Amino acid sequence: MIDRLRAQGIRNEKVLAAMDAIPRHQFVEKGLAFSAYDDSALPIGLQQTISQPYVVARMIEILCDRHELGRTLEIGAGCGYQAAVLSMLASEVYSVERLKMLLDRARKNLRPLRLPNLRLKCADGTLGLPEAAPFDTIIVAAGGLKVPLALKAQLAPEGRLLIPVGDAGQRLLLIERQGSVFKESKCDPPVRFVPLLTGIE
Ligand code: SAH
């Protein structure tokens, strides 16, 4: 998988080492373990998916570019895979998931890895995580039409937020805060994430 990510253009060795350190097969159902290292999204139950390795690597690479991840918030823990990768690179990771059942599965998947700087919470990520804000990095693993205002508000003064935005032609939007200014840029590749919903279930 790591050689393929390199061939696909991922250059950041720290990101590649973090992806190499986390066993992706432990995050998918047993019956799908043989596909765990393919470059595809896979079902994790409740109509959700584990993100494609290239997209996980690319999103983290964008956020690592000339920056430390620092205190990081992930919206959409799903099976917990990306949270584990982030925990190898960030000082602290908070990951929220709106579906309680999935969060239980994520906890089970993550337990053997014993990642001391990762905390999971069942919460509606469109509200951010006010009790742990501000964040140097916010990464959103589900797509909507708008950027939730709470997420921008919970960025540290030099914080960065990466979120898939749009409907059919979804793109990654990078928002870089510089004090009261929020600079926005679109990043490649085009993506297709599960919808960012509200409330918890
Ligand atoms: N990070 C995962 C990808 C999970 S898919 C990985 O490592 O592969 C995206 C997840 O976002 C789904 O589990 C979905 O339930 C969750 N989600 C959607 N809207 C949300 C919200 N408002 N708050 C928290 N989680 C949300």
Side-chain angles (χ1 to χ4, degrees), residues 48-51 74 76-78 82 97-99 102 123-125 141 197:
Q48 306 303 324
T49 52
I50 179 171
S51 302
E74 179 192 35
Q82 179 169 264
E97 169 57 55
R98 62 180 290 277
L99 299 174
L102 267 191
D124 175 355
L197 303 174

Side-chain angles (χ1 to χ4, degrees), residues 100-132:
K100 284 195 201 88
M101 261 175 68
L102 267 191
L103 194 69
D104 287 345
R105 281 185 212 170
R107 283 191 207 284
K108 214 180 276 167
N109 295 338
L110 287 161
R111 202 165 298 134
L113 296 176
R114 296 170 187 268
L115 303 167
N117 62 340
L118 171 58
R119 291 185 187 85
L120 301 176
K121 188 169 179 196
C122 185
D124 175 355
T126 61
L127 307 173
L129 190 62
E131 64 265 38

